[in-house]
Amino acid sequence: GAVVSQHPSRVICKSGTSVKIECRSLDFQATTMFWYRQFPKKSLMLMATSNEGSKATYEQGVEKDKFLINHASLTLSTLTVTSAHPEDSSFYICSAFTGDDTEAFFGQGTRLTVV
Amino acid sequence: AQSVSQHNHHVILSEAASLELGCNYSYGGTVNLFWYVQYPGQHLQLLLKYFSGDPLVKGIKGFEAEFIKSKFSFNLRKPSVQWSDTAEYFCAVNADNDYKLSFGAGTTVTVRA
């Protein structure tokens, strides 16, 4: 199947700093990617839809100025957590659909810890 | 918007036991249904999906699921589990005209050798 790669897999940062997470589709082009957040023992929560060449679409309750999404190419979307706080600590996962649009492929996730 | 409910938070089984994980969804329109598995330290992987047709869907690794429209359910089954089936299992739904997935909370399955 198609491969989606996230980087980094783990990151620890200090409160007030910004962290960038990359999501790449390695063997296909993805005009649309999705960013999810997963809390311990909880479901994956969709944060935003990342659209190549245009602004991301954020889900209700997700601060767009806090979670900046850039989808500058057909194989790369980035999520930047700005001015991170401990409550932003979580597991962030991206996904993308391939051309036939029937199956989403997921990155391995990024564990963010804000101290 | 859709919502998904998985009944079991943690299931512990012995090898060769049968497994059934419950999944119910709420949505008034046509949906596509998925089961994903996440093995320790790995990506979410698709086990099986239902779009239309035969409501009994067979997936990889011996898993199957049955879509019962009247019950808004899409339960996952495997007749005989192996130790390697230890993983987190997620049920997911999207509306027929939307790529956004709504996930259940997940079920941790632990298979004891």
Side-chain angles (χ1 to χ4, degrees):
Chain A
V3 179
V4 174
S5 178
Q6 272 182 252
H7 178 80
S9 57
R10 291 179 182 272
V11 59
I12 301 172
C13 71
K14 292 184 178 180
S15 288
T17 62
S18 296
V19 174
K20 181 185 285 187
I21 302 169
E22 294 184 345
C23 178
R24 293 181 186 273
S25 55
L26 296 187
D27 50 1
F28 67 100
Q29 293 183 331
T31 56
T32 303
M33 291 183 174
F34 300 88
W35 286 96
Y36 293 84
R37 182 173 177 177
Q38 185 179 24
F39 295 94
K41 311 293 185 187
K42 299 279 189 182
S43 174
L44 281 76
M45 180 193 77
L46 179 65
M47 298 174 66
T49 303
S50 171
N51 304 298
E52 188 268 335
S54 64
K55 291 183 179 180
T57 305
Y58 290 82
E59 296 300 302
Q60 191 173 10
V62 178
E63 298 175 59
K64 62 180 181 180
D65 295 330
K66 173 103 181 134
F67 299 100
L68 298 179
I69 291 172
N70 183 276
H71 195 153
S73 78
L74 287 170
T75 59
L76 174 63
S77 174
T78 60
L79 169 68
T80 301
V81 182
T82 62
S83 187
H85 288 103
E87 57 264 31
D88 298 325
S89 297
S90 193
F91 195 59
Y92 294 87
I93 304 175
C94 70
S95 77
F97 281 83
T98 59
D100 69 359
D101 291 333
T102 61
E103 178 180 346
F105 291 89
F106 289 82
Q108 74 270 38
T110 298
R111 172 75 61 194
L112 170 64
T113 304
V114 184
V115 297
Chain B
Q2 312 92 301
S3 68
V4 183
S5 174
Q6 289 183 239
H7 311 309
N8 312 97
H9 179 63
H10 193 180
V11 173
I12 302 173
L13 303 165
S14 297
E15 278 194 309
S18 64
L19 172 69
E20 180 161 358
L21 302 181
C23 173
N24 286 88
Y25 68 93
S26 65
Y27 183 67
T30 303
V31 295
N32 303 313
L33 299 149
F34 306 82
W35 275 98
Y36 283 88
V37 61
Q38 188 172 31
Y39 298 104
Q42 295 189 26
H43 301 214
L44 277 163
Q45 300 173 40
L46 182 68
L47 271 180
L48 46 79
K49 59 188 176 186
Y50 174 81
F51 277 63
S52 63
D54 188 345
L56 183 61
V57 179
K58 294 194 183 297
I60 61 172
K61 304 184 187 227
F63 285 91
E64 66 178 29
E66 185 175 11
F67 172 47
I68 302 179
K69 190 174 181 180
S70 61
K71 294 184 178 181
F72 297 89
S73 70
F74 190 55
N75 293 353
L76 180 71
R77 298 191 290 255
K78 184 170 183 177
S80 177
V81 296
Q82 300 173 311
W83 176 79
S84 57
D85 292 321
T86 294
E88 189 85 17
Y89 292 80
F90 294 93
C91 180
V93 168
N94 66 359
D96 196 37
N97 59 352
D98 190 350
Y99 298 145
K100 298 179 191 178
L101 287 168
S102 295
F103 283 85
T107 299
T108 303
V109 173
T110 302
V111 180
R112 292 180 171 162

